[in-house]
Amino acid sequence: MNEIFLMKLGEIVLKGGNKRQFETKLRQNVRRRMKPYGDFDVYIMQSTVYVEPKNGEADVEGAWEACHSIFGVVSLCRCRPCGKDLDSIFNAVEEYLGDDLDIAESFKVESKRSDKQFPMTSIAISQEIGGRLAEAHPDCRVDVHHPAYTVYVEVRDLAAYVHGPAEPGAGGLPTGVGGRAMCLLSGGIDSPVAAYMIAKRGVEIECVHFFSYPYTSQLAKDKVMELARLVTRYSGRMTVNVVSFTEIQEAIRDNCPEEYFTLIMRRFMMEISQRIARRDGCEALITGENLGQVASQTMQAMAVTGAVVDMPIFMPLVGMDKEEIVTIARKIGTLETSILPYEDCCTVFTPKHPKTKPTLGQVMHAEEKLDREALITAALENVEKITVKYHDEAGM
């Protein structure tokens, strides 16, 4: 029988009466992610997703790698199905895992009997298969407490399955069960991590990026598109809304006190993002703000910039240390792109002495000379929508 994948569900199993809805969405997501790699049969039984190649043309290695980035899966393993009898199970272990046992110093067998019609208990299965393996591999001693290698046997409804240790999955909830949200995506380290973290909670992600040509280059824009593409490895395809921000930044420079430049700029970003979000069916904004990291991320500054919107603002990084954020960026593969030396619009017209403890009244007074509505309307008239996918093939 062919090798298949078993993917164990995470917190979906706790959803009670809504569990079926979560499982259906996860199955749809897995099927979509498998399309670039060939024909796979995807089904869910006993809180486990089965991913089975239908023919020898399937790219099993590519599919296996893709399965690691599907939200809703807590662990996954490659396994060999076999008949539900001791001889078949032992033969499958020998054929599939024998080489691993030959080089291991010690082992144990851990069994799980989901099919309660099977005549032996889990302990009895482990003892029988373990005894046979000890005879077949005399140089690999049995150690049930601290084994170097563990053989897993799962007796399920359709077949028995043998495999080695499982690998961690992406965790979280299936994409699409938590609504839609708009992420303000810059070229830095933080915002791609923020998008990933909210996507992990089952939220479909759309992004908005503010582009200030000629103060920022095409390379800076390309960098942001690559960051979005890297996030889609986990979130699935997304739309990036590119907003021309030059006119607004020049108006702020020409009409507002320098110490308020960044605060007023961010207020425009938030309001524009909310309008695009509402138009596209998003119900929240996502930012990569981190309390105290820069002058515009004090409590007072964040209160002022958030005052222009009335939809929820998710800030998943707000209490994290920078090193924690960098660790996640490295894990999801965005760090190396984020540190490329192409500046984004947030670095344009940066004040020498920014206001760190502003009041809403002060900022509103500082922006009195601006025609906010005209500037926002002009920016929204020329939004460029770019669809981003991790792969070029259809289905991702």
Side-chain angles (χ1 to χ4, degrees):
M1 300 178 77
N2 293 328
E3 181 182 54
I4 72 170
F5 309 153
L6 295 183
M7 303 165 62
K8 304 298 178 67
L9 305 188
E11 58 187 284
I12 294 176
V13 300
L14 305 176
K15 295 303 179 181
N18 294 322
K19 180 181 175 182
R20 182 62 60 85
Q21 172 190 344
F22 285 79
E23 289 183 343
T24 298
K25 177 57 70 172
L26 177 58
R27 185 174 64 252
Q28 292 171 349
N29 293 346
V30 175
R31 285 175 174 168
R32 185 171 63 251
R33 293 294 186 91
M34 293 299 101
K35 282 185 179 180
Y37 306 102
D39 292 329
F40 289 82
D41 194 12
V42 178
Y43 50 97
I44 297 181
M45 297 177 63
Q46 298 174 317
S47 298
T48 301
V49 183
Y50 295 71
V51 181
E52 183 174 356
K54 292 183 178 181
N55 53 57
E57 303 300 318
D59 178 4
V60 174
E61 296 301 325
W64 173 246
E65 179 62 26
C67 284
H68 286 75
S69 58
I70 298 175
F71 289 133
V73 176
V74 69
S75 67
L76 61 162
C77 62
R78 301 168 75 145
C79 67
R80 174 68 61 82
C82 62
K84 294 194 287 185
D85 61 86
L86 292 176
D87 288 341
S88 296
I89 293 171
F90 172 72
N91 290 334
V93 173
E94 277 292 277
E95 293 173 8
Y96 193 59
L97 305 175
D99 290 345
D100 293 330
L101 288 167
D102 283 337
I103 61 176
E105 293 183 358
S106 61
F107 82 99
K108 78 170 182 177
V109 177
E110 191 168 307
S111 302
K112 181 178 180 181
R113 183 189 59 146
S114 299
D115 177 7
K116 301 307 179 185
Q117 301 301 313
F118 192 76
M120 300 178 68
T121 65
S122 298
I123 294 176
I125 296 169
S126 295
Q127 290 173 337
E128 179 64 29
I129 299 300
R132 295 191 188 190
L133 291 174
E135 292 181 4
H137 302 271
D139 294 331
C140 185
R141 60 185 174 81
V142 175
D143 184 347
V144 297
H145 298 294
H146 304 287
Y149 189 81
T150 300
V151 173
Y152 293 89
V153 176
E154 300 188 39
V155 180
R156 293 174 165 266
D157 286 351
L158 300 180
Y161 302 86
V162 301
H163 60 87
E167 298 182 10
L173 296 172
T175 302
V177 299
R180 291 173 56 83
M182 180 73 69
C183 180
L184 281 72
L185 185 65
S186 72
I189 295 173
D190 298 342
S191 56
V193 174
Y196 159 82
M197 292 182 68
I198 296 301
K200 189 174 182 178
R201 302 311 303 158
V203 176
E204 291 186 32
I205 302 296
E206 187 169 330
C207 291
V208 58
H209 173 65
F210 295 90
F211 184 55
S212 295
Y213 182 82
Y215 302 105
T216 55
S217 67
Q218 181 63 40
L219 288 173
K221 179 180 175 182
D222 293 343
K223 170 185 172 180
V224 171
M225 293 303 110
E226 175 61 9
L227 288 172
R229 188 189 73 84
L230 293 170
V231 172
T232 63
R233 178 188 176 194
Y234 296 89
S235 68
R237 71 171 68 195
M238 70 167 68
T239 298
V240 180
N241 299 274
V242 181
V243 178
S244 178
F245 205 52
T246 307
E247 182 181 355
I248 291 175
Q249 287 193 288
E250 290 178 339
I252 295 170
R253 177 199 61 190
D254 295 341
N255 294 281
C256 303
E258 181 183 358
E259 62 184 337
Y260 293 103
F261 280 2
T262 302
L263 292 167
I264 297 172
M265 176 192 73
R266 291 184 64 82
R267 281 165 59 83
F268 272 98
M269 288 180 173
M270 296 294 284
E271 187 163 356
I272 291 170
S273 296
Q274 176 172 263
R275 294 198 191 187
I276 299 174
R278 286 218 165 100
R279 184 180 65 195
D280 291 0
C282 298
E283 300 172 280
L285 300 179
I286 305 167
T287 73
E289 289 168 293
N290 177 252
L291 187 61
Q293 181 171 244
V294 294
S296 62
Q297 294 177 10
T298 63
M299 283 190 187
Q300 296 89 338
M302 288 192 288
V304 166
T305 56
V308 292
V309 300
D310 55 16
M311 64 168 45
I313 304 172
F314 296 154
M315 304 178 186
L317 315 185
V318 69
M320 299 176 68
D321 293 335
K322 191 66 177 184
E323 188 55 41
E324 294 175 306
I325 301 170
V326 168
T327 297
I328 298 174
R330 185 177 290 112
K331 168 189 169 184
I332 66 176
T334 57
L335 180 63
E336 294 304 315
T337 301
S338 290
I339 62 177
L340 291 174
Y342 307 128
E343 295 184 337
D344 59 35
C345 69
C346 294
T347 61
V348 178
F349 309 133
T350 302
K352 293 180 180 179
H353 303 288
K355 191 76 170 178
T356 59
K357 295 183 179 181
T359 65
L360 181 57
Q362 289 173 336
V363 177
M364 293 179 69
H365 177 71
E367 61 187 20
E368 277 182 348
K369 293 182 180 179
L370 299 174
D371 188 341
R372 288 183 58 87
E373 187 58 34
L375 289 168
I376 291 172
T377 299
L380 289 171
E381 286 175 351
N382 297 295
V383 176
E384 180 185 9
K385 286 186 171 291
I386 302 174
T387 300
V388 181
K389 299 180 287 186
Y390 190 68
H391 290 277
D392 292 333
E393 295 91 344
M396 284 299 289

